[in-house]
Amino acid sequence: MDKKNRLILALDVTDRENALRIANEVSDYVDSIKVGYPLVLGEGLGIVKELVEIAPVIADFKVADIPNTDRLICEHVFNAGAAGIITHGFTGRDSLDSCVKVANDFGTDVYVVTEMSHPGGVEFFRPVAEDIAKMAVEAGASGVVAPATRPERVKDIRKIIGEELSIISPGVGAQGGSAADVIRAGADWVIVGRSIYNSDSPAEAAKKICDEMNC
Ligand code: C5P
């Protein structure tokens, strides 16, 4: 992913018309559009094919299954044109290896969740976050997902993964995190959803976040 705006739009609207309108409005300010279950369950995987005409798409399916099922999911997503996929890591190295292998075949990216950004993210994830980050490095993932709501954790994760892997960081705005703080802590991109797509002017909201990060 080209690091121009440091902003990834989390496009969690559920209908095609709004999705395409918002994506077009913010396209100058985002490096990628993250699409997950809300939109794909609403409109089907075909929406990815339309969105990739506007910006590169990261599919946030938090893939978490046995290696063969993970492989099938990744193949569908990359055949639809996505440039990256978000997977879980707690399912183990063999499952992650399966996703990385498919991504390598397609020339695409795998981002592994290390710790969720919401309050419940500390309950089960925190004790294993650093092991998952280490595994992401060893498995050859492109990057990890770490919480903008806890910049100190982004700092910890950055120390573990070094400079080669990217950190993409959700939790800015609606969940309380600050874009500038988490970039300072070591994130490469922030992921922002509601603060942009619920705004009366998604473009202005996206520009404001970019300005905060001096991009
Ligand atoms: O609306 P908001 O800006 O809070 O959206 C954050 C997006 O990032 C959502 O799509 C959410 O599913 C996703 N996400 C997250 N925390 C993670 C991984 C993904 O909030 N650890």
Side-chain angles (χ1 to χ4, degrees):
M1 190 177 4
D2 286 341
K3 204 194 280 182
K4 186 174 156 228
N5 294 307
R6 289 178 172 263
L7 177 60
I8 298 169
L9 170 67
L11 193 51
D12 293 327
V13 296
T14 54
D15 69 287
R16 173 180 178 273
E17 197 186 323
N18 263 324
L20 295 178
R21 176 184 58 80
I22 294 165
N24 277 307
E25 279 180 40
V26 304
S27 63
D28 284 346
Y29 302 110
V30 301
D31 291 337
S32 177
I33 297 173
K34 184 177 83 66
V35 170
Y37 292 111
L39 183 54
V40 169
L41 292 177
E43 291 291 351
L45 199 53
I47 190 71
V48 171
K49 293 185 186 164
E50 294 193 87
L51 287 169
V52 297
E53 301 296 326
I54 301 170
V57 168
I58 298 175
D60 182 2
F61 291 147
K62 296 191 181 68
V63 182
D65 216 309
I66 62 168
N68 186 59
T69 307
D70 283 357
R71 174 180 66 79
L72 295 168
I73 294 167
C74 289
E75 284 173 359
H76 267 301
V77 163
F78 295 138
N79 274 321
I85 194 161
I86 293 176
T87 72
H88 270 304
F90 64 78
T91 40
R93 177 68 189 266
D94 52 353
S95 292
L96 180 57
D97 281 346
S98 174
C99 297
V100 170
K101 181 178 182 314
V102 180
N104 287 342
D105 291 345
F106 277 84
T108 50
D109 293 314
V110 171
Y111 300 95
V112 184
V113 179
T114 56
E115 185 173 310
M116 304 286 291
S117 54
H118 63 309
V122 299
E123 282 177 40
F124 296 105
F125 250 115
R126 167 136 335 147
V128 295
E130 293 173 17
D131 288 338
I132 289 176
K134 276 182 210 146
M135 183 179 65
V137 175
E138 287 161 11
S142 310
V144 299
V145 186
T149 44
R150 293 177 220 106
E152 72 285 0
R153 294 296 292 153
V154 171
K155 244 184 213 166
D156 294 341
I157 299 290
R158 173 57 78 196
K159 278 187 205 140
I160 288 165
I161 65 172
E163 295 302 321
E164 209 166 299
L165 270 67
S166 301
I167 298 180
I168 61 176
S169 189
V172 167
Q175 294 184 59
S178 142
D181 285 354
V182 75
I183 292 292
R184 264 194 298 273
D188 296 284
W189 282 273
V190 296
I191 300 171
V192 184
R194 285 164 288 178
S195 300
I196 296 176
Y197 66 73
N198 281 341
S199 163
D200 290 339
S201 171
E204 270 174 36
K207 182 177 182 309
K208 197 167 158 234
I209 293 162
C210 279
D211 289 345
E212 269 172 51
M213 297 186 288
N214 295 319
C215 57

